[in-house]
Amino acid sequence: MKNTLSASTLALAFGAAMTLSAAVSHAEDGAMAKEKCYGVAMKGKNDCKAGAGTSCAGSSKKDYEGSAWKFVPAGTCEKTASTTSPTGFGQLAEFKAKTK
Amino acid sequence: MSAFNTNNFSTNGYELPASVGASLKPEHFASILHTPPPLGFFEIHAENYLVAGGPFHHYLTQIRQNYPLSIHGVGLSLGGQNPPNLQHLTALKSLIDRYQPAVFSEHLAWSNHGNHFLNDLLPLAYNQQSLNRICAHIEQVQQFLGRQILLENPSTYVEFTQSTFTEAEFISALVERTGCGLLLDLNNLYVSCRNHNWEIQPYIRALPLAAVREIHLAGFHREIDPMGEALFIDSHDAQVDDAVWALYKSIIQQLGPIPTLIEWDNNLPPFSDLLAEVQLAQTILDAYNTLPAKAQP
Amino acid sequence: MTFDAAWAHSLLNPDAELPADLRVWNHSDPAIRFAVYRNNVVASLIQALADSFPVINALVGDEFFNAMTAIYVRQHPPRSPVLAYYGADFADFLQDFPPAASVPYLADIGRLEYAVIQAFHAADMPSLTTQQVQGLLINTEKLAQLQLSLHPSLQTLQSSFAIGSLWFAHQGAGNIADVQPEIPEALWILRFQLAVEVLPMSAGDCQFLQALLKGQPLGAAAESVIEAEFDLIRCLNVLLQKELITHFHYL
């Protein structure tokens, strides 16, 4: 299906969009405000400190090759109402069986 | 002797005031703009601002209008096997051109291997070969930026069998040959001296103290090695240790007031706690300033 | 191996031998001291990823996230000292990471989180003035030939999963238990007045925007949309209201 647009259709759309955006900006961004992203961490990721400790992340030998991997996703993903793909243990058990 | 000396590049029209500053953290942008704190200057890590646009530049631009600025690089890898990356250097130059900092500083350390950035300030052997190499790197950077840079003494956890200089001798030779300034990190100095059982006062005496343009103070984390000896880690997650405060007092008595930064990068406290550390350091600077003139060197 | 290659190898491989020529004054085991560096490298990069991908972290939990990113960090160390952009291929890694296969939408959430970062740090660019926009309407005959330059933050993302709803649920908007993950969603990601916004749009809206971003003029871009669900007025409204049109040119 292909849209064919006349110049007047385009002009009407553009005009309508302009009217809408002018109205909304007067209304302090009403309808779309709830979708605003507040989730960006205002953090700098570069610094010159050392991590406390000597042994946690740097020397852990955990790997998912072979049987050493022992973690399952266990966060908010467990709360999703998944219908077709069971989260958590079902698929993971299968994966473990394959890699052993 | 290098073509550069400190006189060519020392001020660039700006200077850090001989007072106490703090690291600028994006977490504090809004409160700093709302209530400008009584600080001598702010210091940023250059790499955090090597982004195209957006809030980081928006806030830094406004804060820069009210405070002197120091830019502190963490990714140039001056101590690396290869010359500083030209692309990174170009990005640093445009950041410096944009914000006109009073000083630009980097570390006596390395972090690049080929195309990979290892995100730590890694140590190097101190010998004639590495001295020649790092002098060339510093001269290249100063040439490219058209200004003096400050070099920071590192905190380290291992030494190398191939070292033939002490760290202080090595830094002294670098400063003499390149005309770079010294960013004296007293926490690093203390941590390294304790970790390697170096005597602190001879280390300080061997440093080119006349080249000190800035001092860093921070907190460290205590561990012990398998022999039960100190293994102190430069974690920037706590208040400045008493031993480091004592070093600071004696250095200020010797050199007079020097721009001083309180670094706090991890487990960030409320801004008021950070200001309390700043105030402690400021008290030490002020004590020097109120000495009778004849007692000053 | 050169000095830096030996260090890089040992830093990123906990089982590897230590680099040669290390010295410790009291002859204690240099591995303990070297572990400080190993820890710094890996832990700091895991932290950088946790800052950049907070929803991935929340979805799989800290333990899984830390173990997974430790593998990623070792396989894909940064190629630039600017850590703001570290993790550009993290979503691809998630796609092919078998232990995460039970969370099939994880990779697309990763793509969304990275798009948010890119929008956050994208270049600043002033938009057309109201007068300029009104001027465009004077030449209605030429509107179809209008080529628009758009704000550098603007991106589209389409997924077979409800990644927008899942992401909103982690921003305090909506309950994750109400989200049906298998419903496809299409999003526009942009920055407006310092804040990144993620807007639920349609697949047709995304096709339209992609055509504009490739430089097609307004008429051709609208005609190129083959998806049934497409709202031209909504698209133009967002472009105008969020001040996303930076330049124009008639072809």
Side-chain angles (χ1 to χ4, degrees), chain B residues 110 113, chain C residues 1-11 16-20 34:
Chain B
W110 66 281
H113 164 56
Chain C
M1 238 192 301
T2 59
F3 170 80
D4 51 342
W7 266 70
H9 181 73
S10 287
L11 286 169
E17 280 183 29
L18 296 188
F34 193 76

Side-chain angles (χ1 to χ4, degrees), chain B residues 262-276:
Chain B
I262 304 288
E263 289 183 294
W264 204 319
D265 291 313
N266 211 5
N267 294 336
L268 278 189
F271 199 69
S272 54
D273 290 17
L274 187 56
L275 281 180

Side-chain angles (χ1 to χ4, degrees), chain B residues 108 123-131 134 156 158-170 196 198, chain C residues 3 7 20-24:
Chain B
L108 176 55
L124 53 137
Y126 300 134
N127 53 42
Q128 195 60 49
Q129 196 190 3
S130 61
L131 179 66
I134 296 163
T156 58
V158 296
E159 294 180 271
F160 294 91
T161 53
Q162 310 100 318
S163 285
T164 54
F165 290 72
T166 67
E167 187 168 282
E169 288 165 355
F170 193 79
H196 307 308
W198 300 337
Chain C
F3 170 80
W7 266 70
D21 307 317
L22 301 183
R23 201 178 82 83
V24 179

Side-chain angles (χ1 to χ4, degrees), chain C residues 191-234:
Chain C
R191 191 180 75 232
F192 175 57
Q193 293 175 349
L194 297 181
V196 176
E197 300 189 23
V198 174
L199 302 183
M201 302 291 275
S202 70
D205 299 344
C206 286
Q207 274 189 342
F208 172 67
L209 181 53
Q210 277 305 324
L212 288 184
L213 289 169
K214 284 185 191 123
Q216 290 199 39
L218 214 47
E223 287 172 9
S224 75
V225 175
I226 51 172
E227 293 282 345
E229 215 193 319
F230 167 46
D231 187 336
L232 178 60
I233 296 176
R234 173 175 56 196

Side-chain angles (χ1 to χ4, degrees), chain A residues 3 5 21 24 29 37 39-40 42 45-46 51 53-54 56-58 61 64 69 71 74-77 82 91-92 95, chain C residues 14-15 35 39-40 52 58-60 63 74 81 83 97-99 101-102 120 170-171 182 196-197 222-223 237 241-242:
Chain A
N3 299 303
L5 287 180
S21 67
V24 173
D29 204 16
C37 157
V40 179
M42 287 279 274
K45 287 163 202 147
N46 282 100
T54 56
C56 45
K61 298 182 173 74
Y64 71 96
W69 185 266
F71 304 104
T76 52
C77 68
S82 182
Q91 291 195 357
L92 197 85
F95 164 74
Chain C
D15 295 325
N39 187 54
N40 285 346
S52 291
L59 281 165
V60 300
E63 193 177 46
R74 293 185 169 113
L83 293 183
F97 186 65
S102 62
F120 187 77
H170 288 83
Q171 316 299 320
E182 289 80 17
V196 176
E197 300 189 23
E223 287 172 9
N237 177 31
Q241 190 197 325
K242 302 298 178 185

